[in-house]
């Protein structure tokens, strides 16, 4: 089968590799759609600790089951959508309601969705693979993984009993746009999306957000926002985020920064204005189920997909993403 491999930073190659065979509990899917992700772009540009090189590339997918091992939860012909990891449900963190921090969350992860076929390991097939409704396109179904990250953030906000009034999302990439959409869905009356890229902000407007340039952010109603969500992964933006939240509000530092970086905050502001910092990572099974429900019934995220490509166009796709063109590209292997 054809598969895109990430050979080294800046170089991807279309290779011919063997089609894997599913063992007990595993399923093999024919990949119908596989979306690009900011993580992939980071790996393409500078490498990534979770993405070995040279190796299979891509982690977002939807497709049709073509073969299944014994006792697998799906059968050939089923249309499915899934994420690329699943928790063990046995370690300390899993047992204490933090499956997203599972010790072995990455141990069974599946990479290589930019390929004609993808083998889904038993644990993922059992916990984090779902049926795709006929009404939903494979392209949109492939957005389950990034939306699960966002759902984890929203679940954390709901658990923290934050008032569902106003939210500011900084960074109009795919994650910021998904946050803007999901925050409205869970009941935030006012959502502002701040960024620089006009084309992305226009998509935010279509998704129901009020948009603004970063330099023009105002304190909501003179007080600041109930919640501020940072989605850029830039240290300066982490630090600036606390300036826009109201006293007693919550700041979610969502975008992962470059390794080894340090952020500085005004201690007086954090303490006397009682600012709560949150920084959720990855997702547990509840977040994936929530994202599946949103995508199936409640959110239309199709405006996030701005280009369709073949595997042969891989190099060009990542060059274009590096130029800031578009939001997500979907490969049709
Ligand atoms: Zn992703
Ligand atoms: Zn675990």
């Amino acid at each position: 089968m054809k598969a895109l491999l990430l050979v080294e930073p800046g170089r991807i190659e279309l290779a011919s590799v063997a089609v894997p065979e599913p063992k007990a509990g595993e399923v093999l899917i024919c990949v119908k759609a596989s979306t690009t992700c900011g993580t992939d772009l980071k790996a393409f540009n500078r490498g990534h600790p979770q993405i070995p090189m040279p190796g299979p590339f891509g982690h977002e997918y939807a497709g049709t089951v073509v073969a299944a091992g014994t006792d697998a939860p799906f059968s050939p012909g089923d249309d499915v959508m899934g994420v690329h990891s699943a928790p063990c449900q046995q370690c300390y963190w899993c047992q204490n309601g933090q499956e997203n921090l599972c010790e072995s969350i990455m141990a069974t992860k599946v990479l290589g969705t930019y390929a004609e076929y993808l083998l889904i390991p038993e644990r993922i097939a059992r916990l984090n693979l779902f049926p795709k409704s006929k009404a939903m396109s494979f392209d949109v179904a492939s957005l389950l993984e990034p939306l699960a990250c966002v759902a984890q953030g929203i679940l954390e906000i709901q658990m923290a009993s934050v008032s569902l009034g106003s939210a500011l999302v900084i960074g109009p990439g795919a994650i910021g746009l998904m946050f803007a959409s999901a925050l409205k869905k869970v009941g935030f009356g006012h959502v502002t999306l701040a960024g620089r890229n006009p084309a992305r902000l226009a998509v935010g407007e279509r998704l129901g957000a009020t948009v603004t340039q970063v330099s023009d952010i105002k304190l909501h109603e003179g007080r600041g926002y109930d919640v501020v969500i940072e989605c850029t992964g830039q240290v300066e933006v982490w630090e600036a985020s606390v300036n826009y939240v109201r006293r007693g509000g919550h700041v979610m530092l969502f975008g992962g920064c470059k390794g080894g970086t340090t952020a500085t905050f005004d201690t007086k502001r954090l303490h006397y204005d009682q600012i709560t910092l949150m920084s959720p990572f990855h997702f547990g099974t509840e977040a994936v189920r929530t994202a599946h429900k949103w995508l199936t019934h409640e959110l239309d995220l199709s405006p996030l997909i701005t280009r369709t490509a073949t595997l042969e166009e891989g190099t060009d796709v990542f060059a274009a993403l590096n130029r800031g063109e578009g939001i997500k590209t979907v490969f049709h292997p």
Side-chain angles (χ1 to χ4, degrees), residues 148-167:
C149 294
V150 168
Q152 181 73 33
I154 301 257
L155 291 172
E156 305 264 350
I157 286 172
Q158 289 172 324
M159 278 189 293
S161 324
V162 174
S163 45
L164 305 182
S166 58

Side-chain angles (χ1 to χ4, degrees), residues 15-96:
S16 176
V17 302
V19 178
E21 254 180 58
K23 295 196 262 309
E26 298 177 337
V27 297
L28 181 72
I29 68 168
C30 169
V31 180
K32 296 291 173 94
S34 177
T35 34
T36 57
C37 175
T39 305
D40 295 338
L41 190 60
K42 272 188 221 169
F44 177 76
N45 286 327
R46 57 175 195 241
H48 192 283
Q50 294 297 340
I51 302 179
M53 284 180 278
F57 197 26
H59 62 272
E60 299 179 6
Y61 63 94
T64 303
V65 175
V66 290
T70 51
D71 299 326
F74 292 92
S75 310
D78 292 345
D79 291 338
V80 292
M81 53 202 280
V83 297
H84 67 309
S85 70
C88 74
Q89 299 194 306
Q90 282 160 18
C91 72
Y92 174 86
W93 287 270
C94 284
Q95 295 281 320
N96 284 284

Side-chain angles (χ1 to χ4, degrees), residues 265-310:
F265 296 97
D266 178 354
T267 54
K268 178 168 168 282
R269 171 80 172 130
L270 291 193
H271 178 69
Y272 292 98
D273 288 342
Q274 201 180 309
I275 308 302
T276 306
L277 299 183
M278 312 165 83
S279 196
F281 165 71
H282 208 67
F283 44 78
T285 51
E286 189 188 350
V288 187
R289 284 194 301 274
T290 301
H292 179 246
K293 190 183 74 178
W294 287 349
L295 219 42
T296 305
H297 303 291
E298 297 162 44
L299 293 182
D300 176 16
L301 296 178
S302 53
L304 270 63
I305 298 173
T306 48
R307 177 178 172 184
T308 302
T310 60

Side-chain angles (χ1 to χ4, degrees), residues 194-238:
R196 294 201 173 87
N197 184 319
R200 291 179 180 189
L201 290 176
V203 174
E205 233 166 1
R206 275 175 71 187
L207 297 174
T210 301
V211 300
T212 179
Q213 284 289 313
V214 174
S215 50
D216 296 337
I217 299 174
K218 306 254 177 340
L219 290 186
H220 184 66
E221 294 177 346
R223 275 190 312 272
Y225 290 86
D226 295 321
V227 180
V228 174
I229 301 180
E230 190 289 334
C231 301
T232 73
Q234 307 287 323
V235 173
E236 318 82 76
V237 186
W238 273 45

Side-chain angles (χ1 to χ4, degrees), residues 120-199:
I120 310 292
E122 184 276 333
R123 196 199 278 182
I124 298 175
R126 176 165 45 86
L127 295 175
N128 277 344
L129 192 66
F130 297 86
K132 181 195 81 68
S133 75
K134 289 280 173 233
M136 193 193 320
S137 68
F138 283 102
D139 292 4
V140 166
S142 177
L143 300 175
L144 184 66
E145 186 269 342
L147 189 61
C149 294
V150 168
Q152 181 73 33
I154 301 257
L155 291 172
E156 305 264 350
I157 286 172
Q158 289 172 324
M159 278 189 293
S161 324
V162 174
S163 45
L164 305 182
S166 58
L168 170 69
V169 179
I170 310 174
I175 292 288
L177 288 164
M178 287 184 185
F179 260 115
S181 203
L183 287 162
K184 284 239 125 182
K185 203 227 93 49
V186 300
F188 275 81
H190 178 95
V191 177
T192 294
L193 177 67
R196 294 201 173 87
N197 184 319

